Amino acid sequence: MSGGSSETKLVNFAMGNKTRRKIINFLANGNRNVEEIEALVGNKTIDFHLKILQDADLIELTERTAKISEHGKNFLKSDKKSNTEELKDLSQAKPVEIAEVRQLLPCIADSTKFRVIANMAPPLGGVLKILEPIFPRGNYSDKKDSLIIQKGEIITTIYGSGKVVMRMVKNENEAKEELENLKNTINETIKKGIVPPPREKVRVELMDIYKHLPQTNCRDCGEQGCYSFAIRLMAGQVSLDQCTQLKEPGYEPNLERLQFLAAYI
Ligand code: SF4
């Protein structure tokens, strides 16, 4: 496997699921047949999970026997190393408070929305970079010492100095609620002392999204069809739960895949 963007997507997708992580750790101790794996994870969709692991080149499947591949062994080694490093670094972090909400101003990009400037204390400093993976759409910049987090239309920037700028909020109440959520997410992670390994930067293409939608063009979501829905999802204007068809039986693998991709948009 070359380690390119599409391979990274396959591996991240495969390992982003608890059942598949359990399977790969089980296989790290030796080859197993499918029935043994099924007994361990007790999952009726075992063939689906094994196929995902196989597509990501993390396991090899011959007849009904599964074996961890060289790529899978390397992945487990780097995963373990990365977790240990992150644990050590996070032990320096202290819980934060939103000390002050200083300003509520109209947004430059959209005058119907607001921009809030607040202060987080104590400043997160060097810990900010380590926290990037806990936010599905978080992006840390070394140059600016800032972490940009996108959630729907709301864009929040946290600086190492403690300053927080939140853009595209509807009103003061929404800003307060979002700042509280942000504080709780950070503090829960600090309390656990565990941060997931840094995520690879994955580029999501429009067609990646479209091909996993049901493609019935039923319009239940209020869009012209699945392609329009995919465009609006890429723009952060709709959410996956607005597609009613994805909740129907048989679409579970599509939904899981789309949830994974949506975290990288
Ligand atoms: S509800 Fe789902 S299946 Fe129906 S048009 Fe919208 S995206 Fe497509």
Side-chain angles (χ1 to χ4, degrees), residues 225-238:
C226 297
Y227 193 73
S228 312
F229 183 87
I231 293 172
R232 303 248 296 151
L233 190 77
M234 291 287 285
Q237 293 166 339
V238 292

Side-chain angles (χ1 to χ4, degrees), residues 75-98:
F75 172 84
L76 280 183
K77 259 190 235 159
S78 61
D79 197 36
K80 210 170 175 177
K81 185 165 166 264
S82 159
N83 272 324
T84 312
E85 282 166 4
E86 300 304 339
L87 265 172
K88 201 169 60 189
D89 285 341
L90 201 62
S91 64
Q92 306 298 319
K94 294 199 170 54
V96 293
E97 282 296 329
I98 303 297

Side-chain angles (χ1 to χ4, degrees), residues 195-239:
V195 174
R199 281 175 296 113
E200 303 283 344
K201 306 287 180 202
V202 171
R203 188 164 166 209
V204 179
E205 310 286 346
L206 175 63
M207 290 312 284
D208 279 344
I209 298 288
Y210 176 65
K211 76 180 180 197
H212 290 99
L213 285 171
Q215 299 184 21
T216 61
N217 296 321
C218 69
R219 299 187 179 189
D220 275 1
C221 54
E223 299 302 321
Q224 290 298 310
C226 297
Y227 193 73
S228 312
F229 183 87
I231 293 172
R232 303 248 296 151
L233 190 77
M234 291 287 285
Q237 293 166 339
V238 292
S239 59

Side-chain angles (χ1 to χ4, degrees), residues 67-171:
K67 160 186 172 189
I68 190 162
S69 66
E70 281 310 306
H71 185 62
K73 284 181 197 162
N74 290 337
F75 172 84
L76 280 183
K77 259 190 235 159
S78 61
D79 197 36
K80 210 170 175 177
K81 185 165 166 264
S82 159
N83 272 324
T84 312
E85 282 166 4
E86 300 304 339
L87 265 172
K88 201 169 60 189
D89 285 341
L90 201 62
S91 64
Q92 306 298 319
K94 294 199 170 54
V96 293
E97 282 296 329
I98 303 297
E100 186 187 13
V101 181
R102 286 194 311 241
Q103 280 170 309
L104 187 74
L105 303 163
C107 252
I108 298 164
D110 180 346
S111 60
T112 65
K113 302 277 168 66
F114 293 93
R115 175 168 48 116
V116 169
I117 301 176
N119 205 29
M120 193 176 269
L124 285 161
V127 176
L128 197 55
K129 183 175 186 172
I130 303 164
L131 293 175
E132 186 196 57
I134 66 172
F135 299 102
R137 293 167 75 185
N139 207 337
Y140 178 77
S141 157
D142 263 318
K143 209 167 143 198
K144 296 183 179 163
D145 186 23
S146 66
L147 176 62
I148 299 178
I149 302 154
Q150 187 158 3
K151 186 181 166 194
E153 286 194 321
I154 301 175
I155 301 168
T156 306
T157 309
I158 311 175
Y159 294 89
S161 63
K163 182 180 172 186
V164 181
V165 180
M166 190 171 272
R167 296 179 175 82
M168 301 292 279
V169 286
K170 285 188 204 120
N171 50 44

